[in-house]
Amino acid sequence: MFRIRSAGRDVLTAPVCLDVVRGGKALAWKTSQPARCCRKSSGKVLFRSVQSAHGLTRHSEVTVEMDGRVGVRVTLEAKKAESLGGLRLTLRLPADVCRYWLESAPPSWEAAGPAKLGFVCPDKTERPLADFQFAWVGDYNAGLAFSIAGARAGWLLGKNGRFRQVRAGDECRIVLDTGPVRLEAGQPVTLEFALYVTPFKPLPSEHWDWRY
């Protein structure tokens, strides 16, 4: 549990995807400005890029920090007003990594037994997006936290936004969907979220003497 190994453990089965849905289909984007490093320090680096798709422009900012945090800020701007089917963030994780689940609100499921060190990741859950802030899913030596806490305004612009999680087969899929949303011409809409890869760092041997 406390060893650093040369072979890591994947926490994603596919790239994190933020889709703009129009007519029931995710838009295909064309790169206008490739990702470039705009700022860096000893513990943080910032990347920016620009994409376009059928009258929309997408500005992306990604901040990667040395402790495992990845912050993402995406700004959409429409040339003319239009209604979209939704803005949808999808995370896909290996099912064997998704053993436990923790979040800000008390979970609605029970631990499977006294030997479990937390709540077992459910096979399926769904709720209004307005009720979601952040969650962590994973195992003791690999996991991923995802958060929209503190930047929820953009996520709640749509109608009937939903948070969904389904664990089936060898994959666990998590979706944050704004539901139908309308973009006004020249009025940017920003979505922000953060990912935290866990564990952040090995625990010291003194951990066993700490009191919580």
Side-chain angles (χ1 to χ4, degrees), residues 16-189:
V16 175
C17 189
L18 181 58
D19 287 319
V20 174
V21 180
R22 177 192 284 158
K25 297 182 179 180
L27 293 181
W29 294 88
K30 181 179 180 180
T31 299
S32 302
Q33 297 180 18
R36 61 187 180 88
C37 178
C38 300
R39 188 187 311 144
K40 61 181 178 179
S41 65
S42 58
K44 182 187 297 186
V45 62
L46 170 66
F47 297 93
R48 289 194 177 105
S49 63
V50 181
Q51 300 83 32
S52 61
H54 303 287
L56 297 176
T57 302
R58 180 175 69 181
H59 296 265
S60 302
E61 292 187 3
V62 179
T63 302
V64 182
E65 301 182 34
M66 56 82 62
D67 62 0
R69 181 185 185 276
V70 180
V72 181
R73 178 184 174 94
V74 176
T75 301
L76 298 171
E77 188 169 353
K79 292 181 179 179
K80 61 180 182 179
E82 69 169 301
S83 297
L84 299 171
L87 310 176
R88 185 182 302 157
L89 173 65
T90 303
L91 307 173
R92 298 167 58 184
L93 299 87
D96 63 342
V97 168
C98 301
R99 294 180 63 187
Y100 308 114
W101 182 286
L102 300 171
E103 61 178 294
S104 54
S108 58
W109 49 89
E110 299 294 334
K116 298 296 184 182
L117 300 179
F119 295 96
V120 175
C121 179
D123 291 332
K124 183 178 181 179
T125 186
E126 182 173 348
R127 67 187 65 125
L129 187 57
D131 293 343
F132 176 80
Q133 294 190 57
F134 65 87
W136 171 88
V137 61
D139 204 350
Y140 71 89
N141 62 355
L144 186 70
F146 44 99
S147 172
I148 59 172
R152 303 173 69 210
W155 291 100
L156 301 181
L157 285 177
K159 297 180 180 179
N160 302 318
R162 304 297 290 176
F163 170 83
R164 303 182 184 93
Q165 173 266 331
V166 177
R167 179 175 174 171
D170 59 358
E171 186 177 79
C172 181
R173 183 171 298 202
I174 298 161
V175 177
L176 282 68
D177 189 345
T178 65
V181 64
R182 182 170 177 80
L183 301 184
E184 300 296 340
Q187 297 183 17
V189 170

